[in-house]
Amino acid sequence: MTRRIAICAPSTPFTREDAARVTALAAAEFPQLDLFFHDQCFACEGHFAGSDATRLAAFVECANDPAFEAVWFVRGGYGANRIAMDAIALLAPTAYDKAYLGYSDGGTLLGALYRARIGRPVHAPMPTDIRRDGGEEAVCRTLGWLAGSRTGLEPSLSDSRPAVAFNLMTLAMLCGTPLMPDLSGHVVMVEEVAEYHYAVDRLLFHVTANLAASNIAGLRLGGVSAVPENDRPFGCEAEDMARYWCSRTGIEYLGSARIGHDVENRIVPFGLA
């Protein structure tokens, strides 16, 4: 049976050329999937994939359409937070039956959906990963999950403790807002890209302080990549920072997770595996 997957851009735009590459890859490897790239993916208004109203309308249209089994965010960037609160209020009962997939800035919507108990949010590679060296593997990981495979899941997932995965900056921005989900009892996985080491440390200070109050089950650190060079070395690596702030806040540090802005990015369904 064919599974139809809607693809939209809550944040920044995609190109038709890259969409064609992803469509061809899916057709060759997963013919049971039918990908629909919403035209809004290719809109451009300044930084964004169209205006807030345009991005909101496309997401709601895809989420509420009963013809689709899942909604896949085409890429991250910045912008999902500008539409997330309005989007939740506009979702129909049909939106509750879908999976929603993405990562990075898309985590804003995933968090909001998880808080509202709408559908199944999933941290997963996006179509934009086709642009990376070896990116076809990452894209196929998500396509495989959509087709029923579980081989692309994060290895540490269990059936006993729920988990979530977020970009660290995205999670920090969610803390204290009406979009932040209840993560009590969850294993929280975080990753980061293109931030100075001191900024990663500052983000971990903020996030662990908030998560400690939520009584989470523990924290795992994914990839921290593309770190800019500062005018002086920070003096410790990202894992040292994570251990430090977990110790300070009483959170159990559980080790590494295979998530991040790279082709090794694994799939983390929110909740129980």
Side-chain angles (χ1 to χ4, degrees):
M1 184 177 69
T2 300
R3 297 181 175 181
R4 300 196 67 205
I5 313 301
I7 304 171
C8 62
S11 305
T12 56
F14 206 46
T15 69
R16 294 187 185 276
E17 293 76 16
D18 286 330
R21 292 175 62 197
V22 173
T23 300
L25 180 65
E29 301 292 335
F30 301 94
Q32 66 271 51
L33 300 180
D34 180 15
L35 304 187
F36 167 75
F37 281 87
H38 196 290
D39 275 344
Q40 175 268 328
C41 291
F42 317 116
C44 187
E45 185 166 319
H47 169 86
F48 304 104
S51 66
D52 289 354
T54 297
R55 300 193 321 281
L56 173 63
F59 171 72
V60 171
E61 178 185 338
C62 292
N64 286 347
D65 191 332
F68 299 117
E69 293 191 25
V71 179
W72 197 9
F73 307 147
V74 77
R75 61 174 301 188
Y78 168 73
N81 64 303
R82 296 171 64 103
I83 67 170
M85 290 184 66
D86 291 336
I88 295 300
L90 295 172
L91 296 182
T94 50
Y96 285 64
D97 298 327
K98 293 178 172 58
Y100 297 86
L101 302 98
Y103 71 103
S104 192
D105 188 66
T108 305
L109 269 171
L110 298 181
L113 289 162
Y114 197 53
R115 176 188 174 106
R117 300 183 179 181
I118 297 175
R120 189 168 198 198
V122 182
H123 167 104
M126 299 179 289
T128 190
D129 287 303
I130 197 79
R131 298 172 175 173
R132 303 184 190 277
D133 290 339
E136 292 86 355
E137 178 184 350
V139 174
C140 280
R141 195 172 297 125
T142 299
L143 292 171
W145 189 88
L146 288 165
S149 171
R150 295 298 178 263
T151 59
L153 292 174
E154 154 63 28
S156 68
L157 293 176
S158 76
D159 293 326
S160 60
R161 292 198 294 189
V164 294
F166 287 99
N167 170 259
L168 184 57
M169 176 67 81
T170 301
L171 181 56
M173 295 300 101
L174 282 173
C175 289
T177 74
L179 302 177
M180 180 68 178
D182 178 7
L183 299 181
S184 57
H186 287 64
V187 174
V188 178
M189 306 180 196
V190 294
E191 55 81 25
E192 192 49 84
V193 64
E195 294 287 349
Y196 288 100
H197 270 144
Y198 68 80
V200 173
D201 191 71
R202 182 165 55 202
L203 289 167
L204 284 166
F205 151 70
H206 177 71
V207 164
T208 55
N210 280 272
L211 293 180
S214 299
N215 194 29
I216 67 169
L219 183 108
R220 288 187 178 275
L221 182 66
V224 177
S225 58
V227 178
E229 185 176 350
N230 198 16
D231 60 349
R232 68 189 71 186
F234 184 69
C236 66
E237 296 301 316
E239 185 172 15
D240 299 321
M241 304 174 206
R243 290 182 182 277
Y244 174 81
W245 288 112
C246 282
S247 176
R248 286 286 300 267
T249 54
I251 293 173
E252 184 178 0
Y253 180 69
L254 299 173
S256 63
R258 295 174 67 182
I259 62 167
H261 280 65
D262 56 49
V263 296
E264 295 300 319
N265 191 20
R266 290 302 192 264
I267 294 170
V268 180
F270 283 28
L272 292 172

